[in-house]
């Protein structure tokens, strides 16, 4: 499972980079591929859920701390559309402390997600709790790419 330290220390980015490399260097379904199955296990541990805006707003309203920062994988695709994720609780505090995000109010976080309308919202578990809400960019997103290759991971 991904941990808060993975996010602040850059390990999560390395994992995303490796996953994207697997997708780019192979074709077709990955359901019988050893590396594909390992990747499926790893990403499933984030228990990603697709959220409506109202569901995302509820997570935000119930959070102890909130921060906003560029979606984690965008550094690998700097030419792609700019969207920002909302981080919650301890992940918010640590991402802000490490300069990857800025602390935000409930209203700012909701406005941030509203600005990215059209990007499916996905919440991921980090250190065992749902802490990252990303307006995902399906063309570059590990979860959406995994789904396309038969590695189903997104719950609705
Ligand atoms: S677009 Fe997908 S891979 Fe990128 S940060 Fe968002 S959820 Fe993660």
């Amino acid at each position: 499972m991904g941990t808060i330290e993975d996010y602040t220390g850059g390990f999560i980015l390395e994992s995303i980079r490796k996953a994207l490399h697997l997708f780019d260097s192979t074709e077709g379904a990955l359901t019988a591929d050893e590396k594909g199955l390992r990747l499926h296990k790893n990403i499933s541990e984030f228990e990603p859920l697709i959220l409506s805006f109202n569901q995302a707003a509820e997570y935000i309203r119930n959070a102890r701390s909130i921060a906003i920062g560029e979606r984690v994988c965008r550094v690998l695709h700097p030419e792609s559309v700019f969207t920002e994720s909302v981080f919650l609780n301890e992940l918010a505090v640590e991402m802000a402390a490490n300069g990857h995000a800025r602390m935000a109010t409930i209203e700012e976080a909701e406005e941030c997600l509203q600005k990215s309308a059209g990007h499916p919202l996905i919440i991921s578990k980090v250190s065992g709790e749902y802490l990252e809400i990303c307006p995902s960019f399906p063309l570059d997103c590990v979860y959406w790419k995994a789904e396309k290759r038969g590695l189903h991971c997104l719950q609705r």
Side-chain angles (χ1 to χ4, degrees):
M1 173 181 300
T3 64
I4 291 172
E5 292 70 33
D6 292 340
Y7 277 66
T8 53
F11 180 75
I12 192 71
L13 200 52
E14 200 43 43
S15 303
I16 293 173
R17 193 194 309 270
K18 282 186 187 159
L20 294 177
H21 176 71
L22 177 65
F23 294 132
D24 291 344
S25 60
T26 55
E27 284 181 0
L30 286 169
T31 43
D33 179 281
E34 194 187 322
K35 284 186 185 166
L37 292 175
R38 207 176 314 134
L39 173 63
H40 189 212
K41 179 177 178 295
N42 290 343
I43 60 180
S44 295
E45 288 179 356
F46 290 83
E47 298 180 42
L49 290 176
I50 299 176
L51 298 181
S52 66
F53 176 80
N54 286 342
Q55 289 170 319
E58 196 171 333
Y59 276 100
I60 290 170
R61 282 195 293 269
N62 289 330
R64 295 183 296 280
S65 307
I66 304 166
I68 295 172
E70 187 176 68
R71 76 173 188 278
V72 172
C73 71
R74 186 168 181 268
V75 70
L76 300 174
H77 315 280
E79 73 296 342
S80 67
V81 178
F82 176 79
T83 59
E84 291 186 299
S85 294
V86 172
F87 305 104
L88 307 174
N89 299 347
E90 281 68 34
L91 182 61
V93 173
E94 292 302 320
M95 289 294 269
N98 282 270
H100 300 305
R102 59 192 182 283
M103 299 308 290
T105 62
I106 291 173
E107 292 72 25
E108 287 166 338
E110 289 183 356
E111 195 184 317
C112 163
L113 298 185
Q114 268 163 344
K115 268 197 255 168
S116 300
H119 293 265
L121 297 177
I122 299 179
I123 191 163
S124 297
K125 264 191 184 176
V126 183
S127 291
E129 236 192 309
Y130 279 115
L131 297 181
E132 179 195 26
I133 304 173
C134 177
S136 63
F137 190 61
L139 282 179
D140 295 334
C141 177
V142 170
Y143 296 140
W144 290 107
K145 280 180 174 268
E147 287 275 330
K148 268 191 155 179
R149 306 294 289 275
L151 307 177
H152 299 300
C153 56
L154 288 169
Q155 303 299 316
R156 289 164 173 86

